[in-house]
Amino acid sequence: MQPEILAAGAVLWRPGEDGPELALIHRPKYGDWTFPKGKLKRGEHLLAAAQREVFEETGIRPVLGRPLAPSFYDKEGKLKRVDYWCATPAAAEAVDEAVDPREVDDLEWIPLDRVADRLTYERDQPVLADFSREVARETVPIVFVRHAVALSKADWFDQDELRPLNQRGRERAQQLEVLLAGFPSGAAYSSTSARCLETLLPYCAAEGVAVTGLPEFTLGTSKPAQATARLDEIIESGAPAVVCGHGEHIDEMIAYTSGRLGTPVPVGPLEKGDFVIFHTAGGRLVATEHHD
């Protein structure tokens, strides 16, 4: 049965004196204590909704980590699915005016060992249990993006490496700016082709991240040994990274990274504009996710 209602949110946490503290919100309409979340707007992506809803209900910009188990429950006769991520505050201070007191009138930071007793709904307990598992809560993302849609070869009469994104591709690049900004930012690498560089430009400009064009990631000029050596450097750096390439190469890079991290390839061939995230900690894989 497919969910009829989609929502997204996060388990927002911070380090405390005795371990993690989790943010729970109180909603006066329902008189409940729960995790910040909310329904998707029409056409909105899950990652965008998670960022927006957490900010609107807490005044805190979240930095997303690994995905958590989704919650399913009945909402007035309709199946509702809520996707959650681990998240930390991007800044120490909340933006109080972002929160509508008619929607949320209180926020408390609760020590992890007391959260289960404060949650109103049983459906939130599996989400808490997933967060509490003995896995790293602070993770480093390595993101692989296939470039967005470019002008067709039939409409381009210059060097193929210079073939740019079309209007649909530029719109996808702008959407990627919002989606990728929810995760920790770091280095950005790309094929030297215009369509790959343009896919990352809005994100890099917004985050103040330089994008490095690499011949070894470029269609027609790459050398497999150089590409894998570069991937080894990215994986071993322990720093966040975004990599954009061509379909022929990005799938190979995902497969190579999966092998290095000891996990099956998480998805089949990426469509244009799709991306995969490997969440790592200490050089080991914690979780993966795929977004189209």
Side-chain angles (χ1 to χ4, degrees), residues 48-72:
Q51 296 175 62
R52 176 183 56 78
E53 285 290 344
V54 170
F55 180 66
E56 289 178 357
E57 295 195 331
T58 67
I60 297 170
R61 297 282 184 193
V63 178
L64 303 180
R66 68 177 176 94
L68 298 170
S71 175
F72 295 88

Side-chain angles (χ1 to χ4, degrees), residues 75-222:
K75 179 69 172 178
E76 299 176 351
K78 297 180 179 180
L79 180 61
K80 182 174 182 178
R81 170 176 173 149
V82 186
D83 283 86
Y84 289 96
W85 283 262
C86 291
T88 53
E93 298 298 325
V95 181
D96 292 334
E97 57 266 29
V99 182
D100 184 345
R102 295 169 298 181
E103 298 291 331
V104 175
D105 63 356
D106 198 5
L107 180 151
E108 290 189 20
W109 290 96
I110 311 295
L112 178 58
D113 60 1
R114 290 169 42 202
V115 173
D117 293 334
R118 291 294 301 274
L119 287 169
T120 299
Y121 303 112
E122 184 63 30
R123 62 178 180 251
D124 287 340
Q125 297 294 341
V127 181
L128 174 63
D130 192 2
F131 175 87
S132 302
R133 286 189 301 123
E134 292 301 317
V135 297
R137 298 188 181 97
E138 291 188 272
T139 54
V140 173
I142 304 174
V143 185
F144 291 95
V145 185
R146 183 178 176 183
H147 71 73
V149 181
L151 289 177
S152 70
K153 293 181 180 179
D155 296 328
W156 184 252
F157 304 101
D158 206 332
Q159 184 178 346
D160 186 64
E161 192 171 309
L162 300 177
R163 184 158 53 94
L165 299 180
N166 64 13
Q167 180 59 34
R168 180 183 166 199
R170 290 193 293 272
E171 291 172 355
R172 177 57 173 167
Q174 291 172 345
Q175 184 185 36
L176 283 167
E177 172 197 332
V178 176
L179 305 184
L180 298 181
F183 297 95
S185 61
Y189 305 96
S190 171
S191 153
T192 57
S193 295
R195 52 195 181 274
C196 296
L197 291 165
E198 287 183 33
T199 298
L200 291 188
L201 278 179
Y203 163 74
C204 290
E207 294 296 301
V209 174
V211 57
T212 302
L214 298 174
E216 57 265 38
F217 289 170
T218 304
L219 187 65
T221 63
S222 67

